[in-house]
Amino acid sequence: MRYISTRGQAPARDFADVLLAGLAEDGGLFMPESWPHFSPSDWRSMRGLPYADLAARVMQPFVGASIPFDVLRTICRDAYAGFGHPAIVPLIQLDTGLFVQELFHGPTLAFKDMAMQVLGRLFDYVLTRDDKRVTIVGATSGDTGSAAIEACAGRDRIDIMILHPQGRTSDVQRRQMTTVPAANVGNIAVEGTFDDCQDLVKAMFADTNFRDEVRLSAVNSINWARIAAQIPYYVAAALALGAPDRDVAFSVPTGNFGNVLAAWAARRIGLPVARLIVGSNRNDILARFLESNDMSMAPVEPSLSPSMDIQVSSNFERLLFELLDRDPEATRRTMLDFRTTGRMTVSEPVWHRARGLFHGFRLDDPGTEAEIRRLHAATGYLADPHTAIGIAAAAALPCAGGVPVVAMATAHPAKFPDAMERATGHRPPLPVRMADLFERTERFTVLPNDLATIEAAVRALAGRNT
Ligand SMILES: *Cc1c(COP(=O)(O)O)cnc(C)c1O
């Protein structure tokens, strides 16, 4: 399997190269050169498989000859072995035709673990095979940093340094990053904002000498391997509900469009998906696009569902590429225009194609709290603010013909105790395996917002072994 850039000016690569590179050299995103296809009998043969084995089967054509199937399956089994639920992605019924699939049983209690746990192991395998090392740096305002740290902690070929804005993450979020006792993990509390942290990471990548010296790498949300590792849970839910002999719909609380793009990809490879619902909070650029072809940037407003507080959904470029019949020139022009004007222009026919499958939904903070309360009263189920938006969307947009809708539960309610308590009067406890989070020892360095100082700290972490 080869991968091409959505902007058409980078050479085709194999899965291992795409895994390590992340973004293509021309600024585009990698996409499979051609889509694999699973037939109805292929899907039937996967019924009843343990989740890790199902994941390896679904990912196999995307990985291609890069990694032997036995290795991939071992990586998947290992990645999901530490999850807090034996079903890995349990499916729960809330109402007639309404289900929720829990993607938050990994080490950081959010759906990022579903892909990151696989990714860290894939990195280690490829780097060992090629006798290389990398240093991963990233900036986080909360959740992505801990998922990346948990994925990389203790891996032989990776060092990871995560920058967070001092005093501006929640205590749970900070402790999830700073209490991981692995020598290859570093945390810096930057005296500044999240934007300062992001600028420092960009500046490190732009410093060519430094980048080469410590072999900088990233595991951000546009990495194709993350999308590939998110397809299998859509397959698992659909099979459980009768696929390939019955359609299914999905409702996905959306930020960078990575999770819902994986649902789209599941449909593209043959899963019978009738509809995809894109849930937003008041940062509703995607809902506005689907409603009225208005994809215009607006300032990001903080909300109860911080992982959906986005201005631009970076993975949308992949869908755009497909909607434009894989025309890289048109994709490049549209994206560059969007960057300069702040507004994406998409022709009517292309917009109608998007609307044929995707439905937008928006819920503000009071609505989200009301939904958490309603759901708890009606079913006893505790949905975190992100998940509650997806469930509200699924209930608001029922499918014709009895097609079941599965809402994706992307975070454990214990990650948002204040919002949960306000809505329901209950403060959900952390799962037992994390109950001692507040007793664990923290390790982090407070540093000024200064590139040379931060680079010296990264160099020291990367140089531990030399
Ligand atoms: C990252 C995240 C999302 C958004 O997912 P995207 O792939 O960026 O669309 C939603 N909910 C939670 C809890 C998340 O951590």
Side-chain angles (χ1 to χ4, degrees), residues 314-327:
S314 43
N315 277 295
F316 186 81
E317 180 167 342
R318 292 193 155 109
L319 179 67
L320 179 71
F321 179 65
E322 294 285 339
L323 290 172
L324 295 172
D325 291 322
R326 301 194 140 218
D327 177 345

Side-chain angles (χ1 to χ4, degrees), residues 155-238:
R155 312 249 151 261
D156 291 338
R157 299 287 175 148
I158 309 173
D159 297 301
I160 179 164
M161 181 69 91
I162 297 293
L163 279 52
H164 69 266
Q166 187 193 15
R168 292 175 195 241
T169 60
S170 77
D171 288 350
V172 172
Q173 287 174 328
R174 189 192 66 250
R175 285 184 160 272
Q176 281 191 319
M177 296 190 282
T178 60
T179 61
V180 176
N184 69 330
V185 171
N187 278 283
I188 297 174
V190 176
E191 293 172 338
T193 63
F194 172 59
D195 286 340
D196 294 331
C197 295
Q198 267 193 318
D199 288 345
L200 285 164
V201 169
K202 277 188 203 146
M204 282 189 265
F205 274 95
D207 179 347
T208 329
N209 288 333
F210 177 74
R211 193 179 68 200
D212 295 346
E213 181 195 338
V214 300
R215 296 159 309 268
L216 275 196
S217 184
V219 286
N220 42 31
S221 75
I222 48 82
N223 196 304
W224 170 261
R226 276 179 69 174
I227 308 288
Q230 289 169 184
I231 300 172
Y233 48 76
Y234 291 102
V235 175

Side-chain angles (χ1 to χ4, degrees), residues 106-332:
T108 74
L109 307 180
F111 101 95
K112 304 285 188 300
D113 292 328
M114 294 301 305
M116 292 296 257
Q117 285 295 312
V118 176
L119 224 67
R121 288 163 174 84
L122 288 172
F123 257 75
D124 229 21
Y125 172 79
V126 172
L127 292 169
T128 304
R129 185 192 69 187
D130 300 348
D131 193 21
K132 289 189 202 152
R133 296 190 62 82
V134 293
T135 304
I136 289 174
V137 296
T140 190
S141 57
D143 282 344
T144 45
S146 56
I149 286 173
E150 285 288 353
C152 297
R155 312 249 151 261
D156 291 338
R157 299 287 175 148
I158 309 173
D159 297 301
I160 179 164
M161 181 69 91
I162 297 293
L163 279 52
H164 69 266
Q166 187 193 15
R168 292 175 195 241
T169 60
S170 77
D171 288 350
V172 172
Q173 287 174 328
R174 189 192 66 250
R175 285 184 160 272
Q176 281 191 319
M177 296 190 282
T178 60
T179 61
V180 176
N184 69 330
V185 171
N187 278 283
I188 297 174
V190 176
E191 293 172 338
T193 63
F194 172 59
D195 286 340
D196 294 331
C197 295
Q198 267 193 318
D199 288 345
L200 285 164
V201 169
K202 277 188 203 146
M204 282 189 265
F205 274 95
D207 179 347
T208 329
N209 288 333
F210 177 74
R211 193 179 68 200
D212 295 346
E213 181 195 338
V214 300
R215 296 159 309 268
L216 275 196
S217 184
V219 286
N220 42 31
S221 75
I222 48 82
N223 196 304
W224 170 261
R226 276 179 69 174
I227 308 288
Q230 289 169 184
I231 300 172
Y233 48 76
Y234 291 102
V235 175
L239 291 181
L241 294 174
D245 306 303
R246 186 189 187 205
D247 282 2
V248 58
F250 293 105
S251 177
V252 189
T254 302
N256 265 320
F257 210 75
N259 201 0
V260 73
L261 188 91
W264 178 89
R267 181 176 190 268
R268 186 64 189 75
I269 64 175
L271 200 70
V273 176
R275 171 184 290 182
L276 293 172
I277 302 169
V278 178
S280 306
N281 57 33
R282 69 165 121 158
N283 299 290
D284 62 349
I285 183 166
L286 290 166
R288 280 186 282 121
F289 169 68
L290 291 167
E291 219 165 74
S292 54
N293 199 0
D294 169 24
M295 173 99 74
S296 53
M297 292 188 209
V300 176
E301 310 244 8
S303 78
L304 286 178
S305 42
S307 298
M308 297 156 74
D309 293 346
I310 51 103
Q311 188 178 35
V312 176
S313 300
S314 43
N315 277 295
F316 186 81
E317 180 167 342
R318 292 193 155 109
L319 179 67
L320 179 71
F321 179 65
E322 294 285 339
L323 290 172
L324 295 172
D325 291 322
R326 301 194 140 218
D327 177 345
E329 226 356 88
T331 308
R332 201 168 68 89

Side-chain angles (χ1 to χ4, degrees), residues 360-408:
F361 180 83
R362 160 200 320 103
L363 198 61
D364 61 11
D365 282 358
T368 304
E369 241 183 72
E371 174 66 10
I372 295 171
R373 187 177 309 118
R374 183 198 68 76
L375 194 67
H376 182 249
T379 67
Y381 193 76
L382 286 175
D384 98 285
H386 304 78
T387 304
I389 292 175
I391 294 172
L397 296 164
C399 276
V403 172
V405 189
V406 183
M408 293 292 149

